[in-house]
Amino acid sequence: MTSILGISAFYHDSAACILKDGKIIAAAQEERFSRKKHDPSYPYNAIKFVLNFANLKLSEVDKIVFFEKPFLKFERLLETYVAFAPRGFVSFAKAMPLWIKERLFQKNLLFNKLKTHDKNYKTDKNIYFSDHHLSHAASAFFPSPFKEAVILTADGVGEWATTTVAIGNNNNLEVKKEIHFPHSLGLLYSAFTYYTGFKVNSGEYKLMGLAPYGSPIYEDKIKKLIDIKDDGTFRLDQDYFNYATGLTMTNDKFNKLFGQKPRDPKTERINQFHMDIAASIQKVTEEIMLKLAKAIRNEYKIKNLCLAGGVALNCVANGKILQEKIFENIWIQPAAGDAGGSLGAALALWHIEYGNKREVSSSDDMNGSYLGNEFNQEEVEKELNIAGANFEILNYEDLINKTSEFISKEKAIGWFQGRMEFGPRALGARSILGDPRSEKMQKNLNLKVKYRESFRPFAPSVLREDLSKWFDMNLDSPYMLIVANINKDKKIEMTDEQKKLFGIDKLNIKRSEIPAVTHVDYSARIQTVTKKTNSRYYDLISKFKEKTGCPVIVNTSFNVRGEPIVNTPTDAFNCFMGTELDYLVIGNCILDKSKQNPKLKKDYTKEFELD
């Protein structure tokens, strides 16, 4: 049996995965173990976890592969400095010491780090390096349910590429076209993330969530920054940006064009200007993605599309591609960002480099993205006892019945079951759950549990068989990466008076029978749930439907703002005690907040650096 360890690290969202004979055994992000969001460091804990889960010592692993090529990245840094000299000297001077000390000799650096796992690991001859965008494309195509597909990858930047088109056929994958740095859709979106006062590589989804509150009145101004061709290819005018040469994303010329300086999140509240900016950049992003999708469909005549790269996490743009029926089928890698690069690099080595046959599954090979760690009942009870928790143990039927009852009574539930998810979304294993019919649920969960901005939307988890009765969509969406509109018969239309409202004033208007998961534009980021992928979660939603007639529940990630999703029962208990969650359901244990020792309460607001 051949084992491959895939690693992504040193930029953001470090991760590790393990394959055995091409089968995905385990994958996890380092942030879940280190408790540092988007942790970019060497993924020591993630590697340790995947090795343990696969029952392997590092010295028993056949191949180790890193998700990108450091020398090509260094070449880009040097060439960018030469192209923009002397403007780029500040960022160049900051980056050089780290590159000269560590990154140029990454094979040696990795070898030394890997040796800390196993003293019997003696050679670096089994360390390989993949290409960044090939890793992304492989992560999207090889686990997909398609024998043939066109793969569109868009992110900030890899070595040189920022947007690529690849063709996958059985066990072959070939990159056909590339757009190169500094022309980047991901960096354009990140520039506006920075400009509206959110954190780059972290707050992009906030910008997306803010967009429906605004109007795209700055679309024409954004098009002064970017020249978009009919086929979706583009060039950015570097006179407006600072990311290639400086330490910020935008510059004074950018600020003058839009009439304001970047928002300072410490002193400035979000206002209508920021909402309109968000709406404008979202519209331009969707236009580019749609044009790219149409162009590659026309050129390659392939009916299946796979998406990867950070831009593939823009589920609103994904929803538009689906809506336009450009492709017959779409599949998106759930860990579409750099974490998924660890998986793609390993799959690329197995299939492309070694030519191993690919078995195509009818759904996909991601196991619902439940690829992280899990805890048996004994381990759960042990951790809860050490934490000082007061809990009740129920049989399975009573657990499902009681939890669904709590949700129907508008209680906020921490739900910790089975294997942890790989990727940025909680998919019913490490989730906070609520009643979607409640008018208060969205605001309460945001402000009292998540300690985050009130405008942030929540996702519905819906039984797959009931999907098209509630939403304008009939496609599997197990990874919460596609947005669709709620059906007309479930909508509550706004009055003329309500339509005149601006911005956040729109937030408290009841828009549908499930207001907690209906965004201001009548859309929702949908997760479909089947018995096959997550039977416990499926049973819970089914029981809730039995009690209420509603086959939908609110699902958001089990964490507070700035914290990675909880990883262990101890993390879950700490989050439970630091928020206004009413109940924690973990394994077969139920914890009632009112029965916990108040001395164990935590001040979670200062625990994590805000994103």
Side-chain angles (χ1 to χ4, degrees):
M1 184 167 282
T2 304
S3 55
I4 299 175
L5 172 67
I7 300 171
S8 64
F10 309 130
Y11 183 44
H12 59 92
D13 294 305
S14 291
C17 88
I18 201 105
L19 306 183
K20 280 185 176 177
D21 283 352
K23 186 175 162 49
I24 305 163
I25 303 298
Q29 291 119 288
E30 182 66 10
E31 64 161 25
R32 306 291 166 87
F33 303 90
S34 67
R35 312 309 298 148
K36 182 184 173 187
K37 200 162 188 182
H38 304 297
D39 193 341
S41 60
Y42 171 76
Y44 179 86
N45 297 293
I47 291 171
K48 184 180 169 188
F49 156 67
V50 298
L51 288 172
N52 286 345
F53 196 90
N55 200 20
L56 285 170
K57 293 187 177 119
L58 188 69
S59 52
E60 296 167 337
V61 170
D62 297 293
K63 313 285 177 192
I64 297 163
V65 59
F66 192 68
F67 81 128
E68 63 181 10
K69 292 179 175 167
F71 273 106
L72 279 180
K73 215 161 191 174
F74 184 67
E75 176 190 84
R76 172 180 39 97
L77 199 71
L78 282 178
E79 286 197 27
T80 301
Y81 171 58
V82 171
F84 288 97
R87 266 202 300 155
F89 186 73
V90 176
S91 59
F92 179 79
K94 263 197 118 168
M96 269 312 95
L98 184 63
W99 274 94
I100 289 163
K101 186 179 168 209
E102 288 184 355
R103 294 190 179 172
L104 266 182
F105 309 102
Q106 204 146 76
K107 192 168 191 178
N108 195 40
L109 171 71
L110 276 173
F111 178 58
N112 288 331
K113 295 272 190 191
L114 286 161
K115 278 196 295 191
T116 62
H117 294 272
D118 183 353
K119 63 179 188 302
N120 295 319
Y121 177 63
K122 300 258 193 268
T123 177
D124 66 0
K125 294 280 187 291
N126 66 344
I127 299 178
Y128 297 79
F129 292 86
S130 180
D131 175 271
H132 185 103
H133 266 241
L134 182 71
S135 297
H136 274 316
S139 79
F141 175 63
F142 289 125
S144 80
F146 312 137
K147 280 184 180 161
E148 183 183 45
V150 59
I151 305 104
L152 177 59
T153 299
D155 64 0
V157 60
E159 294 89 354
W160 273 108
T162 65
T163 308
T164 56
V165 175
I167 302 297
N169 196 316
N170 289 320
N171 63 342
N172 296 313
L173 180 68
E174 190 184 345
V175 176
K176 297 286 190 183
K177 293 183 175 181
E178 299 185 353
I179 295 173
H180 281 183
F181 181 86
H183 309 292
S184 166
L185 183 56
L187 289 174
L188 175 70
Y189 206 86
S190 291
F192 282 91
T193 302
Y194 164 83
Y195 186 64
T196 47
F198 302 124
K199 207 184 237 182
V200 171
N201 291 328
S202 171
E204 282 77 7
Y205 58 98
K206 295 184 188 181
L207 194 66
M208 183 178 68
L210 191 62
Y213 293 96
S215 301
I217 58 176
Y218 296 102
E219 184 184 353
D220 290 343
K221 286 193 173 179
I222 292 174
K223 286 182 176 171
K224 288 182 181 177
L225 311 174
I226 182 166
D227 175 22
I228 309 166
K229 302 298 183 195
D230 289 344
D231 64 357
T233 56
F234 52 85
R235 287 183 70 79
L236 269 60
D237 185 342
Q238 290 302 305
D239 287 350
Y240 292 93
F241 299 96
N242 209 19
Y243 58 76
T245 59
L247 303 174
T248 57
M249 293 299 292
T250 58
N251 59 22
D252 288 341
K253 190 171 181 180
F254 185 103
N255 302 344
K256 279 180 193 150
L257 178 65
F258 294 101
Q260 289 194 27
K261 286 184 175 175
R263 179 178 77 91
D264 181 347
K266 293 188 180 104
T267 58
E268 289 175 74
R269 293 173 75 88
I270 292 166
N271 59 35
Q272 193 61 47
F273 170 75
H274 304 111
M275 296 172 201
D276 293 339
I277 285 281
S280 305
I281 184 58
Q282 181 62 32
K283 190 171 179 202
V284 171
T285 301
E286 289 165 17
E287 181 188 329
I288 293 168
M289 290 298 281
L290 281 168
K291 282 185 169 177
L292 285 167
K294 283 173 184 169
I296 59 181
R297 176 71 163 119
N298 289 337
E299 183 173 356
Y300 297 108
K301 313 289 189 226
I302 294 170
K303 65 180 183 178
N304 303 318
L305 173 69
C306 295
L307 292 167
V311 178
L313 294 171
N314 193 310
C315 47
V316 180
N318 298 343
K320 292 277 163 62
I321 294 171
L322 180 70
Q323 224 174 337
E324 296 258 337
K325 297 185 165 57
I326 303 163
F327 289 88
E328 286 179 35
N329 305 297
I330 297 175
W331 192 85
I332 306 155
Q333 166 53 241
D338 278 4
S342 61
L343 174 62
L347 288 166
L349 190 69
W350 175 253
H351 289 296
I352 304 169
E353 193 70 20
Y354 293 106
N356 286 304
K357 198 177 167 213
R358 179 171 167 251
E359 300 291 335
V360 181
S361 152
S362 60
S363 51
D364 65 45
D365 289 330
M366 288 296 293
N367 189 34
S369 213
Y370 305 111
L371 298 169
N373 57 8
E374 62 183 332
F375 297 83
N376 61 35
Q377 184 64 19
E378 190 183 328
E379 289 166 330
V380 167
E381 289 176 33
K382 186 180 175 186
E383 284 204 26
L384 290 177
N385 281 322
I386 290 169
N390 181 322
F391 57 90
E392 186 185 357
I393 300 167
L394 299 179
N395 66 41
Y396 182 69
E397 206 174 296
D398 290 344
L399 185 92
I400 296 296
N401 192 41
K402 220 168 189 181
T403 307
S404 59
E405 187 68 29
F406 292 148
I407 295 170
S408 72
K409 290 180 174 167
E410 297 190 35
K411 302 299 181 189
I413 312 293
W415 175 258
F416 185 111
Q417 303 289 338
R419 291 184 72 179
M420 179 176 65
E421 303 90 341
F422 182 52
R425 308 277 182 247
L427 301 168
R430 307 284 183 273
S431 292
I432 290 171
L433 309 178
D435 188 341
R437 304 167 305 156
S438 164
E439 291 176 56
K440 302 177 292 187
M441 189 56 65
Q442 186 205 359
K443 201 169 182 182
N444 285 351
L445 282 180
N446 268 327
L447 299 177
K448 294 185 173 185
V449 176
K450 303 283 280 190
Y451 300 122
R452 67 183 197 182
E453 302 89 347
S454 61
F455 67 82
R456 301 270 292 280
F458 287 115
S461 290
V462 56
L463 299 178
R464 175 63 181 93
E465 59 266 31
D466 290 308
L467 173 66
S468 51
K469 294 174 201 157
W470 287 77
F471 300 98
D472 183 19
M473 178 176 164
N474 191 15
L475 174 95
D476 290 349
S477 178
Y479 304 124
M480 215 186 273
L481 284 169
I482 294 172
V483 161
N485 288 332
I486 191 150
N487 281 344
K488 281 180 183 167
D489 64 330
K490 308 293 182 191
K491 273 185 188 179
I492 297 168
E493 293 294 345
M494 285 194 281
T495 64
D496 290 341
E497 207 57 41
Q498 288 169 338
K499 283 176 186 171
K500 291 174 192 168
L501 294 171
F502 281 98
I504 294 291
D505 294 337
K506 297 174 183 174
L507 180 65
N508 298 320
I509 297 163
K510 187 174 179 181
R511 272 179 185 71
S512 77
E513 290 178 29
I514 43 173
V517 293
T518 307
H519 206 15
V520 288
D521 56 356
Y522 291 101
S523 71
R525 177 164 48 99
I526 292 158
Q527 181 200 2
T528 54
V529 181
T530 64
K531 183 90 173 166
K532 185 184 170 190
T533 51
N534 192 333
S535 62
R536 196 167 268 228
Y537 195 38
Y538 180 88
D539 288 348
L540 177 67
I541 304 171
S542 299
K543 185 58 78 171
F544 180 76
K545 178 189 175 183
E546 197 182 293
K547 290 179 191 298
T548 64
C550 177
V552 181
I553 58 175
V554 177
N555 175 13
T556 186
S557 55
F558 196 162
N559 62 332
V560 296
R561 184 183 171 194
E563 180 193 18
I565 294 172
V566 298
N567 181 27
T568 66
T570 304
D571 295 337
F573 182 71
N574 287 342
C575 189
F576 173 61
M577 292 305 292
T579 59
E580 292 182 47
L581 281 171
D582 299 298
Y583 292 92
L584 172 59
V585 184
I586 181 164
N588 283 353
C589 304
I590 285 193
L591 288 74
D592 180 337
K593 177 63 68 60
S594 66
K595 293 178 181 171
Q596 304 308 313
N597 181 348
K599 288 179 184 168
L600 296 174
K601 186 164 171 55
K602 288 186 173 294
D603 181 2
Y604 239 50
T605 51
K606 297 183 185 72
E607 188 94 358
F608 296 95
E609 186 188 337
L610 294 184
D611 49 354

